[in-house]
Amino acid sequence: MEYGLLKAVHLGAVALTLTLFVLRGIWMARGSPRLKARWVRIVPHLNDTVLLGSGVTLAILLRQYPLVHSWLTAKFFALIVYIVLGSIALKHGTTRGQRIAAWLAALLVFAYLLAVARAHSPLPFLPGSGG
């Protein structure tokens, strides 16, 4: 697949992931039965598979790898934190307050992931850290 198309697929999957996570978080906070809809349990996982696959393919294509390039290492570990927090927020949190706190924390981690990707730096908020 051509780089430009692959990057567009990846960025589209990022946008859809964020949109679906925000929507599911709102539904979770409101106790909406929509969260149990079949498509809500399937589509985010399919999209996240496309997101991860396109991200790995981009890394291979660009020859930039986690544990070799610091910004990808930061993204890799932040992604794990995001997945854990998202799981607590949408499935495994024991109280509504705990789930909302995990959801908000996951959104902050997602913002960090976006900033790292844009700056190509594990410290994207520092002046001169990339961009």
Side-chain angles (χ1 to χ4, degrees):
M1 183 180 283
E2 178 196 323
Y3 171 78
L5 179 59
L6 184 59
K7 185 175 179 182
V9 167
H10 186 69
L11 292 176
V14 167
L16 186 56
T17 290
L18 179 59
T19 300
L20 291 171
F21 187 68
V22 168
L23 183 61
R24 291 185 300 156
I26 292 168
W27 288 344
M28 171 275 301
R30 292 182 177 173
S32 174
R34 292 178 181 158
L35 201 53
K36 295 183 193 267
R38 183 174 169 87
W39 76 267
V40 174
R41 293 189 322 256
I42 296 171
V43 172
H45 300 296
L46 292 175
N47 182 69
D48 289 345
T49 300
V50 169
L51 178 59
L52 183 59
S54 62
V56 168
T57 305
L58 280 168
I60 292 168
L61 185 67
L62 297 173
R63 295 186 174 130
Q64 295 190 355
Y65 308 105
L67 307 180
V68 174
H69 295 88
S70 61
W71 73 277
L72 275 177
T73 303
K75 276 188 68 175
F76 174 77
F77 287 110
L79 177 62
I80 292 169
V81 172
Y82 169 75
I83 291 169
V84 169
L85 288 169
S87 179
I88 293 167
L90 298 176
K91 195 175 281 187
H92 299 292
T94 54
T95 67
R96 184 172 169 260
Q98 184 184 60
R99 291 191 309 270
I100 291 170
W103 178 65
L104 292 171
L107 289 172
L108 289 174
V109 172
F110 197 93
Y112 171 76
L113 284 163
L114 293 175
V116 168
R118 184 160 163 43
H120 287 202
S121 169
L123 302 170
F125 304 111
L126 295 180
S129 63

